[in-house]
Amino acid sequence: MSIKTDGTVIKGWDIYGSLDVYADNVTIIDSRITSTNWWGVNLRPGFKGLRVLHTTITAVPGKGPDNGGVNYAVSNMGVSSVEVGWCDVSVFGNALSMGQGDLHDNYVHDIVAFRNLGGEWQHTDAVISGGGNKGRLTVRHNTLLNSVPVDKGASAALGLFADTGVVSNVVVDNNWLAGGAYALYGGGPGATGIQVTDNVFSTQYHPKSGLYGAVAAWNAGGAGNVWRGNRMSDGRPVVPEPSP
């Protein structure tokens, strides 16, 4: 469905499909979305003010385009921060996808591996940002799990990648992270303004949290970058390896 009226509130709906938001200040609350598309909720370019709260967002493996590949539970293509809070998110390969937003108190779990039409395993992340963002991305008090095996595409629980621009202005605070090649990708050598504080890196899938380690691509010398209070689930401190 396409939402085209500013200020629309969707409350208590059970939706089999997906929502395209072409309007400002739309709120989706206390609902359930079961998608058979690329996304569950997508804020389109030029629009702002989307809030998705207390909602279950999942998908039907094998029903979406590209050989059943389902990518984004919530995608922010708009011009402002998107709030996603207290949501239960599963199945989607890159569940919460945005460069700017307020992601808090969400449970992302049971991501499903999938191949594209060419037969290649697609990368999976519980939260993903491609860089180049103009606003702030805050990821706080979420449980972000990526149980997909690395040989079937798992990248991270939280991936800050410089795919579309420099990563900057990100807060990662008080989350539970597990899975992926590395549980956290920290933005790469050009990243600035990245604050990673008081997170727990769980060993529930891999002894190092991710298969190869807890964190990669951390720019310790970047302006405004802070690494503090991060630990493994057994209490050991997590110290990023020096960037090459």
Side-chain angles (χ1 to χ4, degrees), residues 11 141 181 224:
K11 183 175 183 179
H141 202 234

Side-chain angles (χ1 to χ4, degrees), residues 5 9 21 58 62 65-67 77 81 98 103 125 132 143-144 151 162-163 168 175 179 184 196 222 227-228 243:
T5 301
V9 176
V21 180
T58 190
D66 199 11
N67 203 33
M77 301 172 67
S81 177
M98 59 195 68
L103 311 179
D125 305 88
T143 298
L144 305 177
D151 62 0
D163 293 336
S168 62
N175 300 282
L184 171 67
V196 182
W227 184 277
R228 183 181 66 245
S243 298

Side-chain angles (χ1 to χ4, degrees), residues 22 38 68 85 89-90 99 118 129 146 151 153 201 217 225 227 243:
Y22 295 88
W38 288 110
V89 179
S90 59
S129 178
N146 188 351
D151 62 0
F201 290 81
N225 290 352
W227 184 277
S243 298

Side-chain angles (χ1 to χ4, degrees), residues 16-102:
Y16 190 86
S18 59
L19 297 177
D20 255 330
V21 180
Y22 295 88
D24 294 339
N25 304 318
V26 170
T27 298
I28 301 161
I29 187 168
D30 295 331
S31 295
R32 178 180 177 87
I33 298 169
T34 305
S35 176
T36 56
N37 208 334
W38 288 110
W39 56 83
V41 183
N42 189 8
L43 181 63
R44 288 293 185 169
F47 299 96
K48 61 186 179 182
L50 174 66
R51 304 172 73 212
V52 185
L53 308 173
H54 298 283
T55 290
T56 297
I57 309 172
T58 190
V60 181
K63 292 293 186 180
D66 199 11
N67 203 33
V70 286
N71 283 330
Y72 312 114
V74 182
S75 174
N76 183 7
M77 301 172 67
V79 295
S80 75
S81 177
V82 164
E83 181 183 3
V84 183
W86 306 283
C87 290
D88 183 315
V89 179
S90 59
V91 178
F92 289 91
N94 289 297
L96 302 177
S97 173
M98 59 195 68
Q100 55 184 335
D102 182 10

Side-chain angles (χ1 to χ4, degrees), residues 117-147:
L117 289 176
E120 299 170 325
W121 291 109
Q122 295 300 281
H123 291 293
T124 62
D125 305 88
V127 171
I128 186 170
S129 178
N133 49 297
K134 296 180 180 178
R136 178 183 292 274
L137 175 62
T138 299
V139 184
R140 177 170 283 127
H141 202 234
N142 303 279
T143 298
L144 305 177
L145 308 179
N146 188 351
S147 59

Side-chain angles (χ1 to χ4, degrees), residues 199-219:
N199 298 282
V200 177
F201 290 81
S202 171
T203 60
Q204 63 198 86
Y205 304 128
H206 308 290
K208 298 179 180 180
S209 192
L211 178 63
Y212 305 119
V215 57
W218 174 250
N219 181 18

